Amino acid sequence: MALQRKKKVTRVTKVKKFQDKVAVITGGASGIGLALARRFARGGARLGLLDMDAEALQREAARLAGGGTEVVAAVCDVSARRDCQAGIDAVLGRFGRIDVLVNNAGITARDRFVDTRAEVFERVMAVNFFGSLYCTQAALASLRASRGLIVVVESLAGVSPLLGRSAYCASKHALHGLFTTLRAELRPDGVQVMIACPGFVQTNLQRRALGGDGRVTARPQSRVGRQTSAAAVADILYRAALRRRPMVVLTPVGKIAYWVSRLMPLTYERLMARQFAVELSREARRP
Ligand code: NAI
C-alpha cells in the first residue's frame, strides 16, 4: 500500500506539467518563495520573480539562470500598486503569458495588541493583503487566458487566531476572505485558487519581524511544533499545484490546529490564551 502510494507520487512529479509554463512568484528571493522558484525551475517552468530585496533577487535570479532557467527578476515593493503592475508587465513583456501566480511575499509583526501601533497594522496589511490583491489584479487577464492557477501563501493565522500577532493574523484572515471568494468567482473562468497554510518554516521571516513600535523586534518567536525546511514546503506545494488543490494545510500539528479551531473555536482560543500567558510570563522572567 505504502509502496503503491510512493509510486503514484513519483509518477505525478515526473510529469513536467509546468514545462515552459510561466510562474510568477512574489517574495521569490528568500525562504518559501525562493524554494518554490527552485522547485518550479526543476519542473521546467519559466520564472518571474518579484521582490523588494534587490541584492538577493539579482543573486538568486542569476543562480537560477545559470542552471538554465529563463528568469525575469523585477525589483518590486508589492505594497505599491504601480510596482506590482510594472513587475507583472515585465514578465508579460518577456514571456507573453502567466500560468501560475504565487502570492507569497509577506512580513510579520510580533507584540501584544495593546503595544502595537496602528502603523504596524497598516504596513502588514499593505504588504500581505494589498500586495497579493495588486499582483492578482495585474495578472488576472493573463491568468484567465491561460486558465491558470493562483497560489496564496497564507498561514494557519488565516483561519484561526494567533495571539501576539494580531496584525499578521488580521492580514492573513483578509487574504482568506478575498481568495476563498475569488476561488468561487473565478472557477467558471477556469482559474483555480490554491490556499496554502504552512506551519513554522525555517526562513528569514521571523528575523525581520516588526515589533509594536514598527521597528524590527528582538522579542523571541513563539512556536508550536518543529520547524520545517522551506524546500520541504515547496515540494509539497508544488505537488499540490500540479493537482490544483484548493487548500493545503501542512504538518500534523497544523492539521490538528486547523480542525480544532474550526470545530471548537472557543476551546481553541482558550488553549491559545493559555499558551500565550506562559510565553508572556517566561518573557517577564528573562533578565
Ligand atoms: P522570508 O522573509 O524568508 O521571505 C519573504 C520574502 O518576501 C523576502 O524575499 C522579502 O524580501 C520579500 N518581501 C517582503 N516584503 C516585501 C514587499 N513589500 N515587496 C516585495 N517583496 C517583499 O519569509 P518566508 O517565511 O519565506 O515568507 C513567505 C510567506 O510565507 C509569507 O507570506 C509568510 O507569511 C508565509 N508563511 C511563513 C511561515 C514561516 O514560518 N516562515 C509560516 C506560514 C506562512
Side-chain angles (χ1 to χ4, degrees), residues 91-120:
V91 176
L92 288 172
R94 168 88 174 271
F95 299 132
R97 61 183 293 146
I98 294 173
D99 301 279
V100 182
L101 168 66
V102 185
N103 286 312
N104 163 78
I107 57 171
T108 189
R110 287 199 301 267
D111 225 324
R112 293 187 311 166
F113 174 74
V114 287
D115 298 323
T116 304
R117 294 164 59 158
E119 288 84 346
V120 173

Side-chain angles (χ1 to χ4, degrees), residues 6 24 52 58 65 95 97 112 128 131 138 173 197 215 217 245 277:
K6 198 169 165 202
V24 174
M52 71 184 297
Q58 296 313 334
F95 299 132
R97 61 183 293 146
R112 293 187 311 166
N128 295 5
H173 269 68
C197 299
R215 285 186 296 211
T217 182
R245 296 238 329 252

Side-chain angles (χ1 to χ4, degrees), residues 189-207:
D189 297 337
V191 177
Q192 176 66 278
V193 172
M194 176 174 115
I195 292 171
C197 299
F200 286 104
V201 190
Q202 234 165 352
T203 67
N204 289 314
L205 186 79
Q206 300 298 339
R207 245 174 278 154

Side-chain angles (χ1 to χ4, degrees), residues 50-204:
L50 275 53
D51 204 294
M52 71 184 297
D53 183 342
E55 207 184 306
L57 182 65
Q58 296 313 334
R59 184 184 64 235
E60 299 305 340
R63 269 189 199 154
L64 286 157
T69 301
E70 285 187 71
V71 187
V72 170
V75 179
C76 158
D77 177 350
V78 293
S79 69
R81 196 186 325 166
R82 242 181 301 169
D83 275 21
C84 296
Q85 188 66 57
I88 296 293
D89 286 348
V91 176
L92 288 172
R94 168 88 174 271
F95 299 132
R97 61 183 293 146
I98 294 173
D99 301 279
V100 182
L101 168 66
V102 185
N103 286 312
N104 163 78
I107 57 171
T108 189
R110 287 199 301 267
D111 225 324
R112 293 187 311 166
F113 174 74
V114 287
D115 298 323
T116 304
R117 294 164 59 158
E119 288 84 346
V120 173
F121 279 79
E122 286 163 5
R123 182 63 193 157
V124 175
M125 285 299 291
V127 177
N128 295 5
F129 175 74
F130 283 101
S132 301
L133 170 70
Y134 298 151
C135 289
T136 301
Q137 284 181 326
L140 191 56
S142 184
L143 286 164
R144 288 173 79 177
S146 65
R147 300 176 76 79
L149 173 71
I150 301 170
V151 178
V152 189
V153 182
E154 230 178 63
S155 161
L156 267 187
V159 287
S160 53
L162 186 56
L163 278 69
R165 314 245 185 110
S166 49
Y168 183 72
C169 200
S171 72
K172 296 292 182 176
H173 269 68
L175 277 179
H176 197 73
L178 174 64
F179 283 98
T180 46
T181 302
L182 286 193
R183 193 164 60 195
E185 239 181 73
L186 296 178
R187 196 168 288 131
D189 297 337
V191 177
Q192 176 66 278
V193 172
M194 176 174 115
I195 292 171
C197 299
F200 286 104
V201 190
Q202 234 165 352
T203 67
N204 289 314

